[in-house]
Amino acid sequence: MSENISYLSGRKDLHENLFERISRMAETEDTANTEKIQELARDYLVGESTIYSTLSFYDLLRPENKNKKAYVCNGSACMCSGTQSRVRSELKKHFRDEEIGEMTCLGRCHENGAFQYNGQNYSGIAIDNITQIIESKKTIQEKYASLASGTAILMQTPLTAEEFALQLRNLFTLNPEHVLDEIKKSDLRGRGGAGFPMGLKLESVRKAEGERKFIVCNADEGDPGAYSDRYLMEQQPLRVLLGMIIAAYISSADTGIIYIRAEYPESMETIEKSIRELEENSLLGNDILGSGFSFTLKLIKAKGAYVCGEETALLSSIEGQRPEVRVRPPFPARKGLFNMPTLVNSVETLANLPFIVEHGGSKFNSIGSSQSKGTKLISLDSFFNRPGVYEVEMGTPLATVVEQLGGGFKENVKALHIGGPLGGLVPVSDISSLQISFESFAEKGILLGHGSIVSIPEDFPMMGYIKHLFRFTVHESCGKCFPCRLGSVRGLELLQRATDGDYRIDRELFTDLLDTMQQGSLCMLGGGLPLPVKNALQYFDNELRDHFD
Ligand SMILES: Cc1cc2nc3c(=O)[nH]c(=O)nc-3n(C[C@H](O)[C@H](O)[C@H](O)COP(=O)(O)O)c2cc1C
Ligand code: SF4
């Protein structure tokens, strides 16, 4: 990343955002329109290569995706459910092959068979109604369970604008220092993957010096299998936005950005509507409710790149730079968006703040396990009898989630892939040894991540699954560091050769490759892929050994 480009991009305010200008240009112009690229580069005083490298990065801005009419979900859960080829063949009755693309993942893991048509997502039985969908714009409601098994922190009755105003009024009677102390007391840890203490991050942003400060809500939930942030944005939008305002009030930020992934059109629609509602009720803007506190919110619509969920790539994306992961330090809390102090938190982390402000940090802290406080949302896929998003108190046994909430499996499952593509593979025989908490997963050397659960059925080849993980990393790697950029390609080549013929992979070479990626990658995309692959080699040796020397 370039600090200069961050500065230059920030010269124009967010309503003239460079990323949005580039996106609009790609949608209306030929991607390689040199004249337009030069014009934009001149306007922002950046090099043409800056514009071109952004333009060529995102799935949805690429020329080959311009004339796509429909996209099939190629996420892990849809793959394991075996629905993709049927969805594609049904779509082919209406569209030419080159008009059908792929997206990862549409967050419809609870019923699979997922596809996007005309900017709307569909799943389950929708593909059987594709003719009506195309001809009469028929809408088909998705169905999934959403239930809190213990204390409901995130799954309370959704806030209305009146309740939102009431909570804001209460917030403004409190000293920001006091609110920060309550959050520190709560021991809330980040829900986006790393589990970093929220209070510490907020305190750093509060103390950091800058002309202005930003709150960025990371709504790029790209982990195949996860749809809990989607649930929050679509069913609890005001709770998420209130969380952003609370964070801004503590850290004196004047602007919030919610960056939502392209694959979630319904989330964008709901959040856009909610922001408008708050603006119309003067609950955003200057001097909110006469408090002297001013705050605006902006929605940025992403364009399809998993790596933008990594917080520094996310900031580069908003700035209109190629979203490559940045070397840290400096951390975003000190030097983030447009080089200003920035708080980046996941949707779920921020959505916890209204509860803490309303009930106090000690109440939140009294729920959960020794090192993980509060609750966690868990997404269950369609192999469960009751797929859906469940809110469970931290420390809840995984077996309770699988058996009691999910109602067990519909068919034989051999492993669970928990916490996204970089999370661990857990053989079903190990379910009883895990609880939903950071420490329980860490003891096993795996990650809780976003709390997504993808089931791998008995008859799905493990070789196919690890190839899928490598292919995902090849596609999503930002290319900044060699271990990930080259390692993922070499790994995929080895696995492909071994499945195509009688080639046997040198086990030592493959282990070296995984160790190099694990130890040498700059971020957890390249650094995290080896974990589930090593788990597969350990637990499913009987399936894989024929492919290795
Ligand atoms: C490849 C990659 C993808 C990520 N995707 C997400 C994401 O979609 N949502 C998210 O909140 N965090 C994601 N993260 C973690 C973020 O970098 C960051 O830790 C998080 O947004 C911080 O918020 P939290 O403290 O609330 O967890 C990702 C990290 C990596 C390495
Ligand atoms: S590990 Fe991959 S995604 Fe992360 S910085 Fe390196 S190349 Fe980019």
Side-chain angles (χ1 to χ4, degrees):
M1 76 112 178
S2 155
E3 276 183 31
N4 284 343
I5 302 173
S6 299
Y7 168 76
L8 291 167
S9 169
R11 276 168 58 248
K12 298 195 186 255
D13 211 0
L14 275 162
H15 60 264
E16 272 197 75
N17 176 254
L18 178 58
F19 173 66
E20 291 181 317
R21 293 275 304 270
I22 295 174
S23 304
R24 273 201 302 277
M25 182 173 82
E27 276 154 16
T28 50
E29 301 287 336
D30 177 3
T31 300
N33 185 329
T34 323
E35 220 172 276
K36 292 279 177 194
I37 291 175
Q38 285 170 344
E39 208 177 284
L40 208 50
R42 268 198 306 275
D43 200 10
Y44 283 80
L45 305 178
V46 298
E48 289 161 38
S49 61
T50 300
I51 309 290
Y52 187 75
S53 61
T54 296
L55 203 52
S56 54
F57 190 89
Y58 296 91
D59 285 351
L60 294 187
L61 302 187
R62 296 217 180 99
E64 63 267 27
N65 275 329
K66 262 192 121 166
N67 298 316
K68 293 277 186 286
K69 298 267 173 43
Y71 295 89
V72 181
C73 178
N74 67 359
S76 315
C78 274
M79 177 185 75
C80 286
S81 73
T83 52
Q84 291 162 324
S85 55
R86 180 152 179 271
V87 170
R88 183 170 274 277
S89 68
E90 288 300 314
L91 289 172
K92 273 167 79 171
K93 292 179 185 164
H94 302 271
F95 309 111
R96 283 178 286 127
D97 214 16
E98 60 274 22
E99 289 176 329
I100 305 169
E102 288 185 342
M103 276 186 171
T104 326
C105 115
L106 297 175
R108 296 293 187 109
C109 321
H110 53 88
E111 48 188 26
N112 302 122
F115 62 98
Q116 186 173 107
Y117 165 70
N118 205 16
Q120 292 292 310
N121 287 348
Y122 298 90
S123 49
I125 55 153
I127 196 64
D128 300 326
N129 295 279
I130 185 68
T131 310
Q132 295 94 309
I133 289 172
I134 294 170
E135 285 171 4
S136 58
K137 303 205 167 30
K138 182 181 165 96
T139 51
I140 293 175
Q141 204 55 42
E142 62 175 326
K143 282 194 210 88
Y144 65 89
S146 53
L147 183 87
S149 67
T151 315
I153 291 177
L154 301 160
M155 286 193 169
Q156 293 181 16
T157 315
L159 288 175
T160 61
E162 292 74 41
E163 286 160 345
F164 186 99
L166 215 67
Q167 296 222 17
L168 259 195
R169 263 184 230 288
N170 172 48
L171 176 71
F172 295 146
T173 63
L174 305 169
N175 187 314
E177 189 81 46
H178 166 78
V179 186
L180 175 61
D181 281 346
E182 290 301 315
I183 291 168
K184 281 162 77 178
K185 219 186 279 173
S186 75
D187 275 341
L188 168 65
R189 293 171 63 179
R191 305 308 199 221
F196 191 80
M198 172 64 167
L200 286 187
K201 212 193 275 191
L202 257 174
E203 190 168 41
S204 308
V205 181
R206 180 172 160 79
K207 285 187 177 156
E209 289 185 10
E211 277 164 46
R212 62 188 299 201
K213 295 175 186 176
F214 294 98
I215 305 297
V216 172
C217 175
N218 187 344
D220 201 44
E221 179 177 67
D223 288 356
Y227 53 103
S228 45
D229 283 355
R230 182 167 84 78
Y231 159 80
L232 287 171
M233 288 187 281
E234 292 169 21
Q235 306 300 328
Q236 303 276 355
L238 292 182
R239 198 171 299 284
V240 177
L241 300 182
L242 183 58
M244 291 180 75
I245 301 187
I246 294 168
Y249 182 65
I250 295 169
S251 50
S252 305
D254 63 10
T255 307
I257 295 157
I258 178 161
Y259 180 99
I260 306 184
R261 60 197 299 262
E263 294 80 357
Y264 284 0
E266 291 86 0
S267 301
M268 291 183 191
E269 212 178 300
T270 320
I271 291 288
E272 206 159 31
K273 226 164 80 196
S274 298
I275 293 178
R276 217 174 310 123
E277 186 183 13
L278 296 180
E279 285 169 347
E280 283 163 8
N281 286 290
S282 305
L283 297 171
L284 284 174
N286 278 335
D287 188 19
I288 305 169
L289 299 171
S291 63
F293 175 71
S294 304
F295 187 65
T296 54
L297 266 174
K298 180 174 172 70
L299 159 65
I300 292 214
K301 300 178 178 180
K303 292 292 164 193
Y306 174 76
V307 77
C308 289
E310 195 285 333
E311 59 182 10
T312 60
L314 175 58
L315 298 176
S316 289
S317 176
I318 299 172
E319 291 173 352
Q321 301 201 53
R322 185 181 167 88
E324 281 181 359
V325 172
R326 302 176 181 180
V327 175
R328 285 164 296 184
F331 288 92
R334 198 169 69 69
K335 201 173 223 176
L337 189 64
F338 308 132
N339 297 327
M340 297 296 161
T342 304
L343 183 91
V344 185
N345 274 119
S346 77
V347 171
E348 187 173 333
T349 311
L350 289 161
N352 276 293
L353 299 190
F355 181 93
I356 296 171
V357 174
E358 195 182 354
H359 301 279
S362 306
K363 171 73 189 163
F364 186 92
N365 196 287
S366 70
I367 302 159
S369 63
S370 62
Q371 291 164 49
S372 312
K373 303 300 180 184
T375 60
K376 180 77 198 80
L377 295 184
I378 305 291
S379 319
L380 301 186
D381 71 9
S382 73
F383 280 95
F384 287 86
N385 282 309
R386 283 192 294 273
V389 179
Y390 294 92
E391 178 171 15
V392 300
E393 294 187 2
M394 287 283 199
T396 302
L398 177 60
T400 305
V401 176
V402 170
E403 296 301 334
Q404 289 177 21
L405 301 176
F409 300 112
K410 284 179 192 151
E411 51 186 278
N412 287 340
V413 163
K414 63 182 166 193
L416 301 181
H417 194 183
I418 309 181
L422 319 173
L425 271 187
V426 178
V428 279
S429 54
D430 272 14
I431 288 176
S432 56
S433 67
L434 279 164
Q435 283 101 46
I436 304 294
S437 73
F438 293 113
E439 63 272 27
S440 172
F441 275 61
E443 268 165 34
K444 280 250 167 202
I446 56 177
L447 302 164
L448 180 55
H450 246 61
S452 57
I453 300 188
V454 171
S455 311
I456 307 176
E458 201 68 64
D459 57 3
F460 194 92
M462 200 43 83
M463 192 69 170
Y465 197 80
I466 58 177
K467 240 172 19 184
H468 161 75
L469 296 179
F470 267 96
R471 201 174 295 116
F472 178 82
T473 308
V474 169
H475 184 72
E476 303 295 351
S477 169
C478 80
K480 172 102 164 188
C481 65
F482 296 151
C484 169
R485 186 175 81 205
L486 303 180
S488 55
V489 175
R490 294 292 166 260
L492 180 59
E493 282 170 0
L494 289 171
L495 294 168
Q496 195 60 53
R497 272 183 78 184
T499 22
D500 283 352
D502 54 7
Y503 173 78
R504 285 163 74 93
I505 301 169
D506 180 330
R507 204 178 272 270
E508 205 180 320
L509 176 77
F510 196 69
T511 308
D512 270 358
L513 177 91
L514 294 176
D515 288 344
T516 307
M517 289 184 75
Q518 211 159 27
Q519 290 161 27
S521 294
L522 180 58
C523 85
M524 277 302 283
L525 180 48
L529 167 73
L531 173 67
V533 177
K534 285 183 175 181
N535 293 155
L537 290 168
Q538 180 188 348
Y539 298 118
F540 297 95
D541 179 59
N542 56 336
E543 262 193 69
L544 297 171
R545 76 166 76 102
D546 284 351
H547 297 295
F548 288 85
D549 258 344

